[in-house]
Amino acid sequence: METLVLSQSFEPVARVPWQRAVMLIFQGKVEVVEEYEDRVVRSVTVEIRMPSVIRFIRGLRRRPKGVKFSRENVYLRDHCRCQYCGIKVTRPEATYDHVLPRAQGGKTSWENIVIACVPCNQKKGNRTPEQARMALRTAPMKPKKVPEAMHLTFLFEKGMPMSWAKFLRDVAYWHVELQE
C-alpha cells in the first residue's frame, strides 16, 4: 500500500510506502489527512489506521541551486524528443545516447548525453554522430533549470485510493475532447 504525500500547501509531491509514511508521522514531520478505513498498523503498544494521505507540517526546503543530473532531467531538457530525428518519445521508449561513445572516451555528463529514439540509437551505434552521418538537433548542455511547464504532475488514475481523488487531477480531464 502507498501513501500520497502533500506539501504544506496541499499539493501532491510524492507517493511513498505506508511504512515510510508511518515513520514520518512518528518523527513529527507530517500530519495525517486521510486514512484507509480498512487497514490498521499494529505494534506491541500502538495501533493506528494506515495513512492514505499525509501532509508536511513545515514547508519543504528548496533544492540546492543547479539541476540534478538524472535521466528524468535529461528527458525534460531535450523536450521529450529524439535529438537526432526530432520525434516525440515517451519515457518508456526513450534511450540515453552518449554523443561521444564511452568506447571512444566519452563521459556520462550533461554535455555528452542526449535522448534518442530506439531506431536512431541503433543506427548511430557505437559511433559519433559525424561517423554515423547523423546530425544533433541541439548541442547537449547543462540546463540552468528544468522548464516550469515540465514539472511532475500527479494524475488520479483507476485503481488509486478514492481518498487521493480530491488532491490529484483526473486523467480524464486531460484526455476528454473539448467542445467547440
Side-chain angles (χ1 to χ4, degrees):
M1 289 304 265
E2 287 188 312
T3 301
L4 179 65
V5 181
L6 305 175
S7 67
Q8 185 181 21
S9 58
F10 289 88
E11 296 173 65
V13 293
R15 292 165 57 168
V16 298
W18 67 266
Q19 296 93 330
R20 173 84 173 126
V22 170
M23 187 174 73
L24 290 169
I25 293 165
F26 282 105
Q27 290 174 340
K29 294 181 179 184
V30 298
E31 66 180 356
V32 177
V33 177
E34 299 279 342
E35 299 170 329
Y36 289 106
E37 294 294 324
D38 59 340
R39 307 279 173 145
V40 177
V41 179
R42 293 182 181 92
S43 76
V44 176
T45 57
V46 178
E47 178 177 302
I48 63 169
R49 282 203 174 125
M50 188 180 292
S52 171
V53 180
I54 57 175
R55 180 181 80 97
F56 277 102
I57 295 169
R58 293 192 190 103
L60 298 173
R61 281 188 239 155
R62 297 201 65 104
R63 292 190 180 217
K65 288 191 176 185
V67 179
K68 178 179 155 188
F69 182 54
S70 68
R71 286 181 170 86
E72 177 70 14
N73 286 339
V74 170
Y75 182 77
L76 296 176
R77 177 203 64 191
D78 291 349
H79 303 288
C80 318
R81 295 194 175 276
C82 172
Q83 293 302 293
Y84 297 106
C85 69
I87 67 163
K88 192 163 181 101
V89 184
T90 65
R91 279 180 182 85
E93 296 169 334
T95 63
Y96 302 89
D97 178 58
H98 285 80
V99 177
L100 176 64
R102 290 190 300 182
Q104 295 183 35
K107 304 289 184 205
T108 302
S109 68
W110 279 111
E111 296 77 15
N112 195 45
I113 298 285
V114 294
I115 293 295
C117 64
V118 172
C120 285
N121 203 344
Q122 289 176 341
K123 179 181 173 186
K124 180 178 167 284
N126 203 16
R127 301 176 289 180
T128 66
E130 294 78 25
Q131 292 167 342
R133 295 192 174 137
M134 297 171 75
L136 275 171
R137 298 212 167 236
T138 57
M141 54 195 285
K142 181 177 180 177
K144 291 188 180 8
K145 64 179 185 172
V146 177
E148 290 296 323
M150 301 301 270
H151 283 295
L152 185 62
T153 301
F154 288 94
L155 300 174
F156 184 78
E157 299 171 358
K158 186 178 179 182
M160 287 183 170
M162 286 307 296
S163 59
W164 295 14
K166 61 185 166 193
F167 302 104
L168 302 177
R169 295 183 175 148
D170 190 347
V171 173
Y173 174 82
W174 296 102
H175 296 287
V176 69
E177 187 173 350
L178 298 174
Q179 299 290 325
E180 289 187 36

